[in-house]
Structure formats: structure tokens, C-alpha cells
Amino acid sequence: MLQDHELKAAKERLLAGGVVAMPTETVYGLAASINSEEGLKKVFSLKERPFFDPLIVHIADLEQKGQVVREWPEAAEILAQEFWPGPLTMVLPKQPQVNSLITSGLDTVGLRMPNHPLARSLIRAVGSPLAAPSANKFGKTSPTKAEHVRKSFAADEVQVLDGGPSDLGLESTVVSIGKREGCALISILRPGVITEDMIRDLFRGKGQAVVVERIASHASPGHTEHHYMPSVPLVILETEAALGKQLLQRIYADFQLMPNTTGAELRLDANPKLAARNLYGRMRECAEGGAEFIFVVHRKEQSGGLWEAIWDRLNRAASRRY
Ligand code: TXA
Ligand code: MG
């Protein structure tokens, strides 16, 4: 159990321009106060994150949104009422005072209310929203446990608040909100637990016209083609056949591995909720268990709904497909 003094120390650290890893229901975040330029700069340098990749701002309650966004369209209210606190980030026009480090100079800002009591207690204690990307080095696998964060950052630079394993295990769905022909337009920039169908059904249920679209990854600056990568190569097998000798030879050649090198299979749970929750932890275990490469079999029944987000991450984490 987290002690009161740990929360107090975290608050003081954030107010003094320091960085704290906070648990959320999606993945752990590396947080700084939105009002501390020093803290924001540390987040980028600790993560080795390029400045072109904007951070998400986390709020504890709806009152705080006014500190961050200057417009609150009706579609945002509908989404917030249904999915907040929860794994949805909305990209909206920013308030002029929001530090441009957070937004990479864009006129918009990503906003989310996380569904983890500790994250929201921390935001309330600090008294202002917290900017937090996932608490991993840029391009690497996101952390779903406190120990994952501890392995990536020095203890004196990042205080880690342990809130237990992340329940969902995948980063939030990122959407931007606009208008098309007088109707609300929701563009999915990064798929996640909140799916396209869930958003469409919500608006339909309220008798509200909406266009929901999935758009190319570059619309979300940090959602690059290669991301979430484990420390050894991950390959996707587009066949359900066992990893035969011939295929193994190709993998050895492609990655210049010694013959008879061992590969670890990343097994996905049949239930997509469990597959998502365990995905990043298993990826780490495979890499740390001494395997020289990891393989995952793409099964045809793993499509639609939450599988889309799981395979989005696996495709970006993978070095090759066979
Ligand atoms: O679940 C999550 O979203 C986690 C937890 C900690 O909240 N955070 C997270 O942050 O995944 P990060 O930085 O790893 O991913 C944020 C994504 C990036 O792909 C970034 O490019 C995008 O959100 N993003 C942030 N602000 C944006 C903006 N103004 N316009 C477009 N994309 C934006
Ligand atoms: Mg990330």
C-alpha cells in the first residue's frame, strides 16, 4: 500500500520541477506539472523523446479542463460523460498559456482524465494538471508495472508511485474532434480500448449525427511506424503453421543470429482484454528470459474491437513479418 508520505513527497517533487512516475489504468506515465518548464524539459530528456512529439495532459476532474483547452464542443462533453475517467485522450484547441513544450508548438493539446485513484489524488494534491507521456524510453515498450519504470530510470531522477499493475495495459485511444458538414467528426489518431464502434454506438444511441474515422498514424506525431519495441527483435508470423526449420533459417539470416538461437513465443490470451493487459509485460519477459528474438503468431480470429489496438501495437513493435 502506498503511504501518505510518498504521495506528499511526489507532490513536493512535482511542485519543485521534478518528475514522478504515476500509475494509470492504461500504462504508467512520467509526469511533470504543466506549470513547470523545468519538469517538462526533464520529461523529454529522461525519455530521450524528440520535442516534436507532444505530451498528454491529465486532469482529475472536469473543472480543470478550462486550464488546458479553450473550446469544449458538445461532442467532447458526450465523450467525457461516457468514457471519463478512462482510456480516452481528446485533442482539442489549447489555451494560449499552455506551454508549447507540451504541445510541440501545435495549437491543440491532448487531454485525458485517467481512471486510477492514485493518479487523480496526485493531480489534486499538486493542484494543477500533469503532463505525462508513457514512462518508457522513446520508442520502447510502455510500462505496465512500477518495476518496469524502475528499470528504465534512476531512482534519484524519478520517484515511482506503485499503484499495482495497469488494468488495461494499452495506451489510451487518441481522438481529435472537429466538424464535417455540420456534423461532429471524431478522428481516431491512435486506436485503443475505446473502439470506433463504441464511439459510433454512443452517438447513435443519443440520436446525434457523427462521422467516426480512423486516420493515418502520422496525424499523431509520436505514433510512428516503429514504436513500442522490445530489446530483442520481434517478428510476426502471418501463418498458423509451426515455426519450421526453413523459416527459422530465414530469421537467423535476416537478423544475423547464430544457428540454433532460441526464440521465445509471445502468446496472446484468447480473451482480448487479457491479451491487452498482459501484452507489454509478456514482451518484456520474453526479451529478459534470454531469447534472441521473439515471435508472435497472427491468428485470423484476432480482428475487430480491441484486437485492432493490440495488433496496431504489435505491428509497430515488430521488426519483420513472415
Ligand atoms: O494511456 C495513455 O495515453 C498514456 C498514459 C500515461 O496516460 N500516455 C501515453 O502518452 O501513451 P504518450 O506520450 O506515450 O502518447 C501520447 C500520444 C502520442 O502519440 C502523441 O503524439 C499524441 O498522443 N498526441 C499528444 N498531443 C497531441 C496533439 N495535440 N495532436 C495529436 N496527437 C497528440
Ligand atoms: Mg508512449
Side-chain angles (χ1 to χ4, degrees):
M1 267 303 281
L2 189 89
Q3 305 293 319
D4 281 352
H5 69 83
E6 283 182 76
L7 190 62
K8 191 161 170 272
K11 164 195 156 179
E12 281 161 10
R13 183 182 271 264
L14 289 165
L15 289 173
V19 171
V20 170
M22 67 171 177
T24 86
E25 80 282 26
T26 57
V27 300
Y28 275 70
L30 199 62
S33 162
I34 61 163
N35 298 319
S36 169
E37 180 146 327
E38 191 189 343
L40 296 169
K41 283 185 176 153
K42 274 186 201 154
V43 167
F44 281 93
S45 69
L46 286 165
K47 264 194 75 112
E48 296 159 26
R49 181 178 177 113
F51 285 108
F52 65 72
D53 190 3
L55 308 179
I56 291 175
V57 173
H58 296 71
I59 54 176
D61 46 57
L62 277 177
E63 274 103 87
Q64 287 184 325
K65 71 182 188 302
Q67 295 180 47
V68 187
V69 300
R70 66 169 192 275
E71 281 171 32
W72 188 248
E74 196 189 350
E77 179 67 22
I78 292 174
L79 289 167
Q81 289 302 333
E82 181 74 10
F83 299 123
W84 277 3
L88 181 75
T89 296
M90 293 192 235
V91 172
L92 290 163
K94 79 174 192 89
Q95 286 287 14
Q97 74 270 18
V98 172
N99 194 311
S100 60
L101 277 174
I102 295 175
T103 58
S104 302
L106 298 170
D107 186 42
T108 54
V109 60
L111 189 68
R112 170 164 120 79
M113 191 195 293
N115 188 18
H116 194 295
L118 204 50
R120 295 219 305 289
S121 301
L122 183 65
I123 299 165
R124 285 205 187 95
V126 172
S128 65
L130 298 177
S134 52
N136 50 281
K137 298 275 182 184
F138 183 70
K140 300 294 182 193
T141 311
S142 299
T144 51
K145 290 181 181 167
E147 68 185 69
H148 298 159
V149 186
R150 288 195 198 103
K151 282 185 186 157
S152 304
F153 303 100
D156 57 340
E157 299 201 273
V158 178
Q159 182 192 345
V160 182
L161 290 180
D162 190 344
S166 296
D167 184 36
L168 303 176
L170 284 186
E171 305 79 1
S172 61
T173 305
V174 179
V175 298
S176 71
I177 296 170
K179 279 215 165 290
R180 185 178 284 165
E181 289 159 16
C183 151
L185 172 67
I186 316 282
S187 308
I188 300 183
L189 311 183
R190 178 173 74 181
V193 173
I194 309 292
T195 63
E196 217 174 306
D197 284 346
M198 287 163 73
I199 296 174
R200 214 171 267 129
D201 290 350
L202 170 66
F203 281 79
R204 214 171 267 155
K206 295 195 176 295
Q208 297 263 358
V210 71
V211 177
V212 186
E213 61 175 16
R214 169 84 190 272
I215 58 176
S217 62
H218 62 257
S220 192
H223 203 45
T224 45
E225 192 187 343
H226 287 296
H227 214 99
Y228 317 103
M229 294 182 96
S231 55
V232 298
L234 170 82
V235 301
I236 295 174
L237 305 187
E238 293 288 357
T239 154
E240 300 208 15
L243 190 56
K245 208 171 161 190
Q246 241 181 346
L247 190 49
L248 268 173
Q249 299 300 345
R250 270 181 68 195
I251 295 173
Y252 294 157
D254 289 346
F255 293 98
Q256 293 163 356
L257 300 170
M258 300 288 285
N260 301 324
T261 304
T262 48
E265 180 172 4
L266 172 61
R267 289 175 191 274
L268 303 179
D269 295 273
N271 173 336
K273 265 194 181 164
L274 292 178
R277 183 183 295 162
N278 297 325
L279 181 69
Y280 291 143
R282 294 240 174 104
M283 250 157 81
R284 281 169 192 267
E285 280 161 23
C286 287
E288 285 160 12
E292 304 270 348
F293 70 95
I294 304 170
F295 64 97
V296 56
V297 179
H298 192 184
R299 297 178 200 282
K300 55 182 176 311
E301 65 273 19
Q302 295 169 343
S303 70
L306 185 49
W307 286 115
E308 298 300 318
I310 295 169
W311 278 97
D312 169 76
R313 303 309 190 272
L314 280 167
N315 280 316
R316 289 170 207 277
S319 298
R320 255 170 210 259
R321 265 158 221 87
Y322 294 92

